[in-house]
Amino acid sequence: PKSMNKSLCPAQYGTPAQMNADLKGRDLLTLQNYTADELKYLLWMASDLKQRIKHKGEYLPLMQGKSLAMIFEKRSTRTRLSAETGFALLGGHASFLTTQDIHLGTNESLIDTTRVLSSMTNAILARVYNHNDLDLTAKEATIPVINGLSDLYHPLQILADYLTLQEHYGGLQGLTVAWIGDGNNVLHSFMVSAAKLGMHLRIATPRGFEPDLRITKITEQNSKEYGTKLLLTTDPLEAADSANVLVTDTWISMGQEEEKKERLKAFQGYQITMQTAKSAASNWTFLHCLPRKPEEVDDEVFYSPQSLVFQEAENRKWTIMAVMVSLLTDYSPQLQKPTF
């Protein structure tokens, strides 16, 4: 396919003007709506901002005079911190609203809330239980809407994961990612985007905890289109076989606390340990979006040199900043595009 050949083409190192992806005014609800080149552009932007601001100490007030409405139905550490600190670092102001401040569709209709936010702020970052609420918000809003996590997807997390892997391996093309855990929103975001960047997926979930069938169909189509491999299994060691990246997440998401006992039983044998890593490639690394529980991954792996979890957490900030800059400004990355 064209998109894969393009990633091997030297023209990738053209001037920023040639490589521009025009994302201004777009929403980010799912990575499924973004092309391979657009995903690479967002990662390039994140890498550029990190280099310029963190390593070169530059001040880039690209959000000066702009405000961000943050609607959070679920609690958050990394999404909230990365958005608030990132937006402030760029000179903007973020307003954080919980269910105590704003009850989506309860004390005011979703349509009315969205129209008010559209008139006062420049973008909406929403963390919601129901993905449909995001779709409706995006339909009504006249400003960009960013998914800060929904029951279906967690696109901001996956952008941070890809930036982390790009920094570590020097490229993404050809990497094999093994997911060992629940068929949840984080996995869904991997599934709809990995093939576009030339990555293979090996997914192990217990019976009854498989990813959403609609998303599996999209993933199968993507794999065919981009010539990548896809495996779905119930065996964690089969998934880990020759994988470069071992990934897991919580087995009990927010809102599933009542299912805890049943879930812990279903996920027996799914803990990632050095035994799991023995099946992986020799250059294996470990990712986890946090917060982590010991039953998901033991301390030996979690705190090992192969674990990139804290770099991954920090990259949440640079990737959300890249999304905001891309959707709200005309700024283009200034540094040479990394290899993907």
Side-chain angles (χ1 to χ4, degrees):
K2 285 176 193 160
S3 44
M4 275 188 84
N5 297 341
K6 201 164 182 184
S7 67
L8 304 171
C9 161
Q12 208 175 349
Y13 298 100
T15 61
Q18 285 174 301
M19 289 306 305
N20 263 356
D22 186 17
L23 300 178
K24 195 175 179 186
R26 290 264 301 267
D27 298 319
L28 176 59
L29 304 183
T30 164
L31 300 180
Q32 172 59 15
N33 299 341
Y34 280 65
T35 66
D37 282 343
E38 288 168 344
L39 292 173
K40 288 172 189 174
Y41 182 81
L42 285 173
L43 295 171
W44 180 21
M45 180 72 84
S47 176
D48 181 88
L49 294 172
K50 187 174 183 179
Q51 280 295 323
R52 294 189 69 192
I53 297 170
K54 181 181 179 179
H55 298 296
K56 295 186 174 182
E58 291 181 41
Y59 178 52
L60 298 176
L62 299 168
M63 293 295 140
Q64 198 151 10
K66 289 186 167 41
S67 55
L68 174 72
M70 297 170 60
I71 304 171
F72 279 53
E73 292 185 335
K74 296 181 172 192
R75 65 186 183 273
S76 161
T77 304
R78 279 147 291 274
T79 303
R80 178 179 179 179
L81 258 183
S82 60
E84 286 188 356
T85 59
F87 209 69
L89 194 52
L90 294 165
H93 176 77
S95 293
F96 183 75
L97 303 161
T98 67
T99 45
Q100 287 169 319
D101 309 296
I102 190 168
H103 249 286
L104 283 186
T106 305
N107 57 346
E108 180 176 50
S109 79
L110 193 61
I111 292 172
D112 295 1
T113 299
T114 302
R115 288 183 181 175
V116 171
L117 294 177
S118 291
S119 71
M120 288 193 199
T121 67
N122 299 94
I124 297 168
L125 172 68
R127 167 169 281 221
V128 299
Y129 280 100
N130 191 334
H131 190 83
N132 293 339
D133 287 346
L134 271 180
D135 286 332
L136 184 57
T137 301
K139 192 163 156 265
E140 284 300 321
T142 55
I143 55 177
V145 176
I146 301 165
N147 180 358
L149 178 143
S150 69
D151 57 340
L152 263 193
Y153 296 113
H154 196 358
L156 296 175
Q157 179 60 52
I158 299 311
L159 289 173
D161 290 5
Y162 291 159
L163 180 63
T164 306
L165 295 176
Q166 196 282 329
E167 289 172 340
H168 182 82
Y169 290 106
L172 300 173
Q173 181 96 21
L175 288 179
T176 297
V177 174
W179 177 274
I180 297 171
D182 190 17
N184 66 9
N185 48 6
V186 177
L187 172 60
H188 290 161
S189 285
F190 264 122
M191 289 172 74
V192 297
S193 58
K196 295 176 190 177
L197 298 169
M199 285 181 278
H200 312 294
L201 274 181
R202 300 175 72 83
I203 298 163
T205 54
R207 272 193 188 80
F209 297 89
E210 296 90 354
D212 186 296
L213 203 56
R214 294 163 301 172
I215 292 166
T216 302
K217 285 197 171 126
I218 291 168
T219 310
E220 286 167 352
Q221 284 165 353
N222 282 353
S223 281
K224 271 200 193 101
E225 187 184 336
Y226 293 94
T228 60
K229 296 184 198 121
L230 173 67
L231 168 83
L232 286 104
T233 177
T234 54
D235 179 357
L237 289 180
E238 189 185 6
D241 185 32
S242 306
N244 306 102
V245 191
L246 301 174
V247 196
T248 191
D249 184 16
T250 181
W251 297 342
I252 302 143
S253 293
M254 286 177 272
Q256 296 174 339
E257 288 78 9
E258 286 167 25
E259 303 167 28
K260 185 173 179 177
K261 221 170 154 182
E262 174 206 343
R263 282 179 166 267
L264 287 177
K265 199 173 157 192
F267 283 89
Q268 270 179 356
Y270 271 72
Q271 186 191 44
I272 294 183
T273 64
M274 285 298 177
Q275 201 57 40
T276 322
K278 276 185 188 163
S279 301
S282 57
N283 67 347
W284 69 274
T285 53
F286 173 75
L287 293 178
H288 191 306
C289 67
L290 310 181
R292 160 260 181 176
K293 312 265 185 323
E295 63 263 20
E296 300 147 9
V297 52
D298 69 5
D299 281 358
E300 197 181 356
V301 170
F302 188 77
Y303 293 110
S304 71
Q306 289 87 352
S307 174
L308 306 178
V309 296
F310 297 108
Q311 180 184 342
E312 176 189 12
E314 184 200 333
N315 279 338
R316 288 294 308 276
K317 178 168 170 166
W318 303 110
T319 43
I320 181 73
M321 286 165 70
V323 168
M324 295 188 283
V325 169
S326 301
L327 303 188
L328 293 176
T329 76
D330 295 311
Y331 173 84
S332 300
Q334 307 299 303
L335 304 177
Q336 191 187 47
K337 189 174 188 186
T339 305
F340 294 108

